Amino acid sequence: MASDLPLLVSPQQLLPHLGDDGLLIVDLGKPVVYQQAHVPGAIHLDFKRLQRNTLPAPGLLPEDDGLAALLSDIGLTPDTHVVAYDDEGGGWAGRLLWLLDAVGHTRYSYLDGGIHAWLADGLPTEDTPATARPSDYQLGEKNPRTDVPFEEMLARYNADNVVIWDARSREEFDGVRAFAQKAGHMPGAVHYEWTEPMDKTRNLRLRDLDTLRDELAARGITPDKEIITHCQTHHRSSFSWLVGKILGFDNIRGYAGSWSEWGNHPDTPVEKDLK
């Protein structure tokens, strides 16, 4: 049964579940890649629908009507088990799973390595688009332990029991590159770039989980803290959030406003690590 799938599912684990009742496989890769080859039965979802796309913080969750329309269009029901993947190592797949978690839907998995790993394993693909069966998804109460609103971020970013996981590039973190009015990072934030967990020698599958856990611990990202991930628009850092969930970090959240909000706000403190 689809509901038996773990949070991190390998291509070989997913293969025998293709066609299961209640399974919804969502491809968030580039349309041209989807058209060439996708997991059998996978529907394609435009990742732009996962964000609000309005300035100054385009990464915020869509408004409720947009959320309900999105989830209805893909055919989500409370019993649906979603498996998400993409062609970039997990950024947009992670963003969909973070969005599902934010609306209280916790039946989901990430296909380790996405389409690259699926193809590398020589598994069957389709090139004909799959059609979703729309539902009438009704939004309930959102999960307050998934998203961090700006006011809370500003009040708690430097709390002793909070660690800020900055998933942007080193240049963005140091203030060498900026995509906002302010350059740099939140005071006390820890840098661990979103691509570091990916094994480029194994088709972007996750690296050894114990190794990742040790690397994060060495930087102060540990499960005894409340961990908050962010990047520029909470695209890259959604994957960081997902990695944390896979590692068993239950107290992990995402700051959807991210640097596009923080770096453009007049009242936010910023540090730079310029050498």
Side-chain angles (χ1 to χ4, degrees), residues 5-29:
L5 292 172
L7 175 56
L8 180 66
V9 60
S10 71
Q12 298 295 341
Q13 285 176 305
L14 179 60
L15 181 64
H17 289 277
L18 298 182
D20 277 7
D21 290 339
L23 178 65
L24 174 62
I25 306 175
V26 184
D27 182 312
L28 292 119

Side-chain angles (χ1 to χ4, degrees), residues 21-94:
D21 290 339
L23 178 65
L24 174 62
I25 306 175
V26 184
D27 182 312
L28 292 119
K30 292 180 284 295
V32 64
V33 176
Y34 177 81
Q35 292 163 9
Q36 293 172 351
H38 54 265
V39 174
I43 66 168
H44 186 261
L45 177 60
D46 182 356
F47 59 75
K48 297 184 185 68
R49 298 189 65 184
L50 303 177
Q51 300 183 330
R52 192 173 301 183
N53 298 312
T54 56
L55 297 176
L60 295 178
L61 280 167
E63 300 285 0
D64 284 356
D65 56 350
L67 273 175
L70 163 65
L71 300 175
S72 295
D73 287 349
I74 66 173
L76 189 72
T77 74
D79 296 325
T80 302
H81 190 97
V82 177
V83 174
Y85 74 89
D86 56 38
D87 57 7
E88 63 167 16
W92 289 118

